[in-house]
Amino acid sequence: MKLLLVGSGGREHAIAWKLAQSPKVDKIYVAPGNGGTALENKCENINITDIDKLAEFAKNNDIHLTVVGPEDPLTKGITDKFKAEGLRCFGPDSEGAKLEGSKSFSKFFMKKYGVKTAEYEVFTNPEEALSYLYDCQYPIVIKADGLAAGKGVVICESKKDAMKAVQNLMIDDAFNGAGQKIVVEEFLEGVEASILSICDGKRIIPFISAKDHKQIYDGGKGPNTGGMGVLAPNPYVTSEVMRDFENNIMANTLRGIQEEGFDFKGIIFFGLMITKKGVYLLEYNVRMGDPETQSVLHSMESDLYEVIEAAMDERLNEIQVEWKDEVCINVVLASSGYPGDFPKGFPITIDESIKDNVFLAGAKLEKGVLKTSGGRVLSVIGTGKTLEEAREEAYRNVELVDFMGAYCRKDIGIFE
């Protein structure tokens, strides 16, 4: 089989790495890919990002299946386009992708189908939003309605913080239109959990849980990032939490997908908050999370290609996804200065012994040399039978990677 994988991040390197392990997969074209996919087994990068040109490439190169990594092409209708051209594409249609593409749409969907979530209000007028803030109980959460690369959520401890967030999102337009509509949401206190799942429109199978570390500095301090590391499975996701999630969130979400008529053969990611009052849904993503994917796929025993094929054929009821008996820690190495401005173009060295434990993201291959090209440069994996073993291996492996100004959190997998 020849596959096309759309995307360029660490998530896509991990997906390519896992798909390449399948004996059924002969070739993976990655569009546009990165330095990691350029070097990955069975992979070849192609410099195409336009949806029409991707469809043309798939037709001309006998691509059996296209797998879409990031949210942007999904919200722009890549699956609809490919399906219209008679091409197989793994990812929801544009209507289903609104579950991530519009925070207000997803909140309305949750309310309509009885998915437990925080109370909220939606605003398109900044004056009305600012007026509403005077009577709020703090902290509150303000979210850009549209896609903001994982950075459109602000936890506001005070009215001053909230007014600044409205100014930034709605008036200053910091996210190029994504914040012209905002959701102001009740703050939920608890522990976050990420559950990636696969859906064939008839059934959802949850993957192992994960715990993301969003802030840049140790102890959960500093500004939010795209994610600085992940622990999987999440120790806070107990069997009781999973039952609550499956009965009150996952089942109602599947009912909504079916009743709305979404063509949803793809990934649905549940961002959860585990509180004293039960499990609440914070948000949907309609693709694998980054950096959760790097940990979750490293722990997957099953053939990812076969799992995706089962979803495409509406056969998820016939399979069981198997997992390694391990704890997996993923430590992100970032460029100095991230998530603000940072320099690029520094050579990256990775010890050959840990090749299968490193997933590249903000890195490019230039004349045979890997160089930094983004904020989150790569993820380093460590595994073990216990959390401590996994942490020790992860940070031992971090020492075997080097580039100028490399920065990482030292507390991935440590919780209060």
Side-chain angles (χ1 to χ4, degrees), residues 203-233:
R203 188 180 183 203
I204 297 175
I205 297 180
F207 293 169
I208 59 168
S209 60
K211 178 73 176 77
D212 190 10
H213 296 63
K214 278 287 185 191
Q215 283 78 19
I216 186 70
Y217 300 127
D218 289 3
K221 294 181 172 60
N224 266 354
T225 70
M228 291 301 294
V230 167
L231 163 64

Side-chain angles (χ1 to χ4, degrees), residues 70-345:
E71 62 277 19
D72 189 57
L74 291 168
T75 61
K76 290 177 177 174
I78 187 171
T79 297
D80 312 62
K81 170 68 177 179
F82 273 55
K83 189 176 179 182
E85 297 285 345
L87 298 165
R88 291 162 59 84
C89 188
F90 180 67
D93 64 3
S94 56
E95 283 298 303
K98 285 181 183 176
L99 289 176
E100 178 171 3
S102 169
K103 294 290 191 298
S104 58
F105 177 89
S106 67
K107 293 295 284 191
F108 179 77
F109 176 95
M110 294 173 207
K111 189 174 183 179
K112 182 177 179 180
Y113 292 103
V115 175
K116 194 158 65 172
T117 190
E119 294 297 319
Y120 71 99
E121 295 288 342
V122 177
F123 296 95
T124 56
N125 183 299
E127 286 75 24
E128 290 177 6
L130 290 167
S131 177
Y132 176 78
L133 299 177
Y134 280 89
D135 298 319
C136 287
Q137 285 190 320
Y138 292 89
I140 61 167
V141 181
I142 297 181
K143 299 179 176 180
D145 180 67
L147 299 177
K151 298 172 187 174
V153 178
V154 185
I155 298 173
C156 305
E157 299 288 345
S158 65
K159 183 172 68 177
K160 182 181 177 182
D161 291 343
M163 294 179 79
K164 182 179 177 183
V166 170
Q167 173 75 34
N168 188 43
L169 291 170
M170 301 189 81
I171 300 170
D172 296 343
D173 195 20
F175 292 108
N176 299 316
Q180 293 299 293
K181 181 190 290 187
I182 63 168
V183 176
V184 181
E185 194 173 271
E186 169 195 13
F187 175 78
L188 297 174
E189 191 167 354
V191 178
E192 289 192 42
S194 303
I195 300 185
L196 283 68
S197 311
I198 191 165
C199 179
D200 65 0
K202 295 181 177 179
R203 188 180 183 203
I204 297 175
I205 297 180
F207 293 169
I208 59 168
S209 60
K211 178 73 176 77
D212 190 10
H213 296 63
K214 278 287 185 191
Q215 283 78 19
I216 186 70
Y217 300 127
D218 289 3
K221 294 181 172 60
N224 266 354
T225 70
M228 291 301 294
V230 167
L231 163 64
N234 186 327
Y236 294 99
V237 179
T238 62
S239 56
E240 182 182 2
V241 167
M242 277 303 291
R243 275 195 303 274
D244 190 349
F245 159 70
E246 290 176 355
N247 293 336
N248 299 312
I249 294 175
M250 190 178 84
N252 291 346
T253 297
L254 180 60
R255 179 169 63 87
I257 285 171
Q258 293 169 338
E259 290 190 17
E260 293 293 325
F262 299 154
D263 183 7
F264 207 116
K265 295 178 178 66
I267 297 294
I268 184 159
F269 170 119
F270 298 89
L272 306 178
M273 183 67 80
I274 304 165
T275 78
K276 291 177 181 177
K277 298 185 292 181
V279 182
Y280 287 75
L281 181 65
L282 296 176
E283 65 175 1
Y284 295 112
N285 291 161
V286 295
R287 40 73 190 182
M288 294 190 191
D290 187 344
E292 289 94 341
T293 300
Q294 290 88 312
S295 286
V296 170
L297 290 188
H298 201 279
S299 295
M300 182 181 282
E301 191 78 72
S302 298
D303 183 320
L304 177 61
Y305 172 75
E306 291 185 350
V307 173
I308 290 175
E309 277 287 292
M312 294 297 296
D313 297 337
E314 299 182 357
R315 294 185 293 102
L316 286 182
N317 62 311
E318 298 177 10
I319 69 162
Q320 186 167 344
V321 182
E322 303 288 345
W323 301 95
K324 298 172 186 173
D325 181 20
E326 68 179 22
V327 177
C328 184
I329 294 276
N330 157 13
V331 179
V332 170
L333 264 65
S335 297
S336 178
Y338 175 80
D341 295 332
F342 51 86
K344 305 175 185 178

